[in-house]
């Protein structure tokens, strides 16, 4: 009420959406909130700053903290305190959602591009950087030379040295991670193809990408790095690897044996 009279009509649209649907808004990307309110992304950002926040994520964190515990934590405790069963069901739901959201045409194109790529570089920060390292391990096991580096300075240098025939593979749950999107833009400007893995079809990373692979497992601002989102990301990585394996059965079998033997002496 304090800020509302000083807002523009467009900002007031955002304010009304937030007041009427706070439990849904915390899961929206900035693009989705703008579409839901019938405004532009810049209006959403102006709204957040006008009420005292740095941006959309900062605002949604406050919003999540103000919701009832069951909503803010997605009801994780479940009925009767049976959280193991509830969590298990949530993980199954994530995989089912991942499969139902899968665009098989985009998946096939991703496999085509990965198969033909000169070099593949995974980009991600925070929890998504861990997924990038998992992806590197998975691809190396089948003999694919890919790279994933956590250090942001090295990532930046890798991005600007990429070119035609290379793939920059960006991973971001929100699709609004500044560092990751900046790396992908640098790689794209130098001729690399861009594959994006994100929860949000309407997000900044999707507008950069040539191929978009959607994941499930929505996160509130209080649940960053959730296992559900991670499972969905790894499911997509596994699908790409499976697609590559089916195209090169004998070579993949040979590489799996060689990579397994390379580490067998390190195991008791």
């Amino acid at each position: 009420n304090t800020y509302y009279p000083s807002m523009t009509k467009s900002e007031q649209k955002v304010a009304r959406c937030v007041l009427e649907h706070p439990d849904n808004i915390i899961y929206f990307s900035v693009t989705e909130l703008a579409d839901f309110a019938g405004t532009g992304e810049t209006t959403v950002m102006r709204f957040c700053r006008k009420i005292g926040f740095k941006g959309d994520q900062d605002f949604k964190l406050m919003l999540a903290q103000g919701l009832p515990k069951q909503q803010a934590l997605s009801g994780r405790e479940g009925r009767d305190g049976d959280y193991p069963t509830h969590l298990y069901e949530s993980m199954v739901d994530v995989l089912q959602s991942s499969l139902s959201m899968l665009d098989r045409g985009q998946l096939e194109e991703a496999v085509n591009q990965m198969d033909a790529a000169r070099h593949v570089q995974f980009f991600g920060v925070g929890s998504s950087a861990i997924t990038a390292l998992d992806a590197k391990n998975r691809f190396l096991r089948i003999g694919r030379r890919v790279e994933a580096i956590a250090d942001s300075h090295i990532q930046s240098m890798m991005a600007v040295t990429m070119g035609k025939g290379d793939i920059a593979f960006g991973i971001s749950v929100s699709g609004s991670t500044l560092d990751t999107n900046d790396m992908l833009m640098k790689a794209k400007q130098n001729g690399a193809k861009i594959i994006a893995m994100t929860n949000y079809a309407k997000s900044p990373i999707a507008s950069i990408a040539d191929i978009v692979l959607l994941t499930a497992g929505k996160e509130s601002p209080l649940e960053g790095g959730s296992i559900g989102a991670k499972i969905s990301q790894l499911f997509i990585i596994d699908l790409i690897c499976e697609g590559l394996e089916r195209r090169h059965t004998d070579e993949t079998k040979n590489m799996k044996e060689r990579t397994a033997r390379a580490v067998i002496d390190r195991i008791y």
Side-chain angles (χ1 to χ4, degrees):
N1 291 337
T2 303
Y3 297 100
Y4 194 82
S6 65
M7 293 179 180
T8 65
K9 289 183 178 180
S10 294
E11 291 165 355
Q12 288 176 354
K13 286 182 180 180
V14 179
R16 287 195 294 272
C17 287
V18 171
L19 290 170
E20 292 170 7
H21 307 280
D23 50 341
N24 292 328
I25 296 301
I26 61 172
Y27 297 108
F28 282 10
S29 70
V30 64
T31 309
E32 287 179 325
L33 177 53
D35 285 352
F36 187 66
T39 66
E41 292 177 23
T42 54
T43 300
V44 173
M45 299 307 294
R46 283 200 311 268
F47 162 79
C48 293
R49 288 193 290 268
K50 186 163 286 187
I51 61 175
F53 295 95
K54 295 177 181 177
D56 175 66
Q57 292 297 313
D58 188 26
F59 167 66
K60 287 192 295 186
L61 177 59
M62 179 282 300
L63 194 62
Q65 289 172 324
L67 292 174
K69 184 178 180 182
Q70 288 80 1
Q71 289 175 294
L73 296 178
S74 303
R76 179 164 291 177
E77 291 166 356
R79 293 188 298 273
D80 304 321
D82 185 12
Y83 63 86
T85 298
H86 182 78
L87 191 57
Y88 165 77
E89 290 172 349
S90 295
M91 297 302 103
V92 172
D93 286 344
V94 165
L95 283 174
Q96 290 175 338
S97 295
S98 299
L99 186 59
S100 66
M101 292 166 60
L102 181 66
D103 184 325
R104 293 169 190 263
Q106 290 282 277
L107 173 65
E108 189 66 17
E109 184 59 24
V111 173
N112 288 339
Q113 295 288 342
M114 295 285 281
D115 196 21
R118 182 182 66 174
H119 173 72
V120 178
Q121 174 74 35
F122 287 92
F123 293 96
V125 298
S127 178
S128 291
I130 299 172
T131 300
L133 292 171
D134 278 331
K136 176 182 177 179
N137 175 65
R138 183 72 174 85
F139 279 95
L140 283 175
R141 293 276 181 172
I142 61 172
R144 297 284 169 160
R145 299 290 296 273
V146 303
E147 191 54 82
I149 299 170
D151 186 282
S152 61
H153 289 192
I154 302 298
Q155 282 193 34
S156 188
M157 288 188 283
M158 290 295 297
V160 298
T161 57
M162 298 186 78
K164 189 175 180 180
D166 296 336
I167 290 177
F169 196 123
I171 305 172
S172 170
V173 173
S174 69
S176 303
T177 308
L178 289 172
D179 285 350
T180 301
N181 291 356
D182 181 53
M183 303 302 174
L184 296 183
M185 279 301 301
K186 288 176 179 176
K188 186 168 188 171
Q189 289 165 357
N190 284 281
K193 289 286 186 179
I194 309 299
I195 299 177
M197 184 191 296
T198 181
N199 273 32
Y200 299 98
K202 292 183 177 181
S203 63
I205 198 172
S207 66
I208 300 169
D210 299 294
I211 299 170
V212 178
L213 301 171
L214 292 179
T215 51
K218 286 191 173 182
E219 295 180 338
S220 84
L222 296 174
E223 296 178 303
S226 75
I227 296 300
K230 179 74 66 185
I231 285 173
S232 186
Q233 290 175 339
L234 294 177
F235 175 63
I236 299 299
I237 293 296
D238 241 17
L239 287 176
I240 296 173
C241 285
E242 182 68 20
L244 291 170
E245 288 182 37
R246 287 169 180 258
R247 294 183 178 201
H248 306 279
T249 307
D250 292 339
E251 181 184 344
T252 297
K253 183 175 181 292
N254 178 48
M255 282 298 180
K256 281 186 172 181
E257 291 175 358
R258 290 172 63 182
T259 53
R261 290 187 179 280
V263 297
I264 200 168
D265 291 338
R266 307 294 178 184
I267 303 171
Y268 285 110

